[in-house]
Amino acid sequence: SYFLTQPPSVSVAPGKTARVTCGGNNVGTQSVHWYQQRPGQAPVLVIYDNNDRPSGIPERFSGSNSGNTATLTISGVEAGDEADYYCQVWHRSRGVFGGGTKLTV
Amino acid sequence: QVQLVESGGGLVKPGGSLKLSCLVSGFTFNDHYMSWIRQAPGKGLEWISYIDTLGNVIYYADSVRGRFTVSRDNARNTMSLQTNNLRSEDTAVYYCARGQDYIWGSPHDFWGQGTLVVVSS
């Protein structure tokens, strides 16, 4: 089985930069997708293929992926960014999600 | 606009069955793969099944293989999940999600609002 490891929580002050990591064996060779889930809502895609943004997602959201770690970076964090964030890959006929990171602003 | 609407959730006893449905609109259904993803109360996301555009390629998570069956009817814009031999650990909100396109590896770009399944005696 393949696992993705995320920190349970990250705290950041408004206006600062938040970084959420996603660790996995050679994850840098895979395409990582990131989802934001606000309380009581369905997940929303915020980054796909490591560093691409869907339309409507602010430029403040960016991603990177190398070696054993993928990172979601949120610049100029706003109160509305407070949510759970999940990374996801496809690996050997399986969808794999990280355990999720609660971002507190 | 793209819409995915799940239905069929409810309260069921251990060992029971439910059939979940996902009705989609606003896009060409047979251009996209589909997934079911669930979330137990207070827990993270768990992918449970994938079905390709024609329903010919299907994958399951180990936790549900042999008990759950996914299918799709492209003429009716509907995907279904037949869940059998349900266990308490299957209690979760079940989401249907659209693949960005037909390609394996692309992300889930739209999600439904979910349907709650509670397995309890």
Side-chain angles (χ1 to χ4, degrees):
Chain A
S1 294
Y2 188 79
F3 297 98
L4 296 173
T5 302
Q6 298 182 236
S9 62
V10 168
S11 295
V12 62
K16 299 299 185 182
T17 297
R19 293 179 178 84
V20 180
T21 59
C22 173
N25 187 34
N26 288 323
V27 72
T29 63
Q30 304 184 67
S31 286
V32 177
H33 314 307
W34 290 92
Y35 304 89
Q36 175 194 69
Q37 186 179 33
R38 295 189 174 103
Q41 297 187 19
V44 172
L45 179 68
V46 293
I47 291 289
Y48 67 97
D49 292 348
N50 302 320
N51 57 11
D52 287 333
R53 271 189 326 276
S55 60
I57 300 300
E59 291 183 10
R60 303 184 294 103
F61 288 80
S62 63
S64 63
N65 187 16
S66 179
N68 294 318
T69 304
T71 303
L72 171 69
T73 301
I74 309 172
S75 305
V77 168
E78 302 174 356
D81 298 331
E82 188 161 285
D84 294 327
Y85 291 85
Y86 295 89
C87 57
Q88 183 244 319
V89 299
W90 292 99
H91 182 81
R92 294 186 182 178
S93 307
R94 305 275 195 280
V96 180
F97 284 95
T101 298
K102 181 176 180 57
L103 178 67
T104 300
V105 180
Chain B
Q1 71 280 25
V2 174
Q3 286 193 311
L4 297 84
V5 179
E6 302 93 337
S7 61
L11 175 63
V12 61
K13 289 181 169 53
S17 299
L18 279 177
K19 186 172 185 176
L20 310 182
S21 295
C22 174
L23 177 62
V24 311
S25 60
F27 65 98
T28 303
F29 186 46
N30 57 14
D31 281 348
H32 298 263
Y33 79 78
M34 298 292 292
S35 288
W36 285 98
I37 295 156
R38 69 184 180 184
Q39 187 170 36
K43 302 298 185 182
L45 301 173
E46 179 189 15
W47 170 86
I48 57 172
S49 75
Y50 159 99
I51 185 167
D52 77 341
T53 57
L54 296 179
N56 292 331
V57 179
I58 291 172
Y59 301 126
Y60 297 102
D62 291 345
S63 58
V64 304
R65 184 178 298 108
R67 300 187 299 124
F68 290 11
T69 302
V70 65
S71 61
R72 66 189 291 165
D73 183 339
N74 287 343
R76 291 183 165 82
N77 284 355
T78 300
M79 176 177 65
S80 298
L81 185 70
Q82 177 66 45
T83 67
N84 297 329
N85 191 18
L86 285 161
R87 308 164 179 167
S88 58
E89 55 264 37
D90 295 318
T91 293
V93 173
Y94 285 72
Y95 294 102
C96 66
R98 186 187 87 160
Q100 190 179 53
D101 49 41
Y102 66 92
I103 298 174
W104 167 263
S106 63
H108 301 100
D109 64 347
F110 284 93
W111 300 57
Q113 285 303 305
T115 187
L116 176 63
V117 173
V118 177
V119 184
S120 175
S121 55

